[in-house]
Amino acid sequence: MNTKPKKRLSIDELKSYPGFENYTDEMAEETIASLETLSILFYEHYQKTLQQKERLEMLSKESKME
């Protein structure tokens, strides 16, 4: 598991990427918040997928033992 502390993207960092140079601070903050929400959703989906895979593997092992 990654124990590295999570760091939120700053407005200046976002503006350093191509296509974001002319964003206002408000637009950049909204974009960062959207990216943060999206990453949380992806992470939660990934965790659920891992849990489901583990359950299926356990059920598969149990059925082979019978």
Side-chain angles (χ1 to χ4, degrees):
M1 184 118 209
N2 188 356
T3 58
K4 186 177 176 182
K6 308 300 180 256
K7 180 180 159 284
R8 191 170 199 256
L9 187 66
S10 73
I11 291 172
D12 289 336
E13 287 174 313
L14 179 70
K15 288 182 177 184
S16 72
Y17 288 98
F20 296 97
E21 306 93 333
N22 298 319
Y23 271 36
T24 64
D25 285 356
E26 183 178 304
M27 290 169 59
E29 184 58 43
E30 288 175 11
T31 301
I32 292 166
S34 295
L35 290 169
E36 190 172 40
T37 300
L38 185 60
S39 6
I40 291 168
L41 289 172
F42 279 134
Y43 180 76
E44 288 173 352
H45 176 70
Y46 173 72
Q47 290 299 313
K48 280 185 181 180
T49 302
L50 288 180
Q51 289 174 353
Q52 289 173 345
K53 183 179 177 185
E54 288 174 7
R55 282 189 210 124
L56 288 173
E57 288 173 354
M58 286 177 54
L59 289 172
S60 176
K61 287 179 185 177
E62 287 175 5
S63 67
K64 289 179 182 178
M65 297 175 103
E66 294 176 356

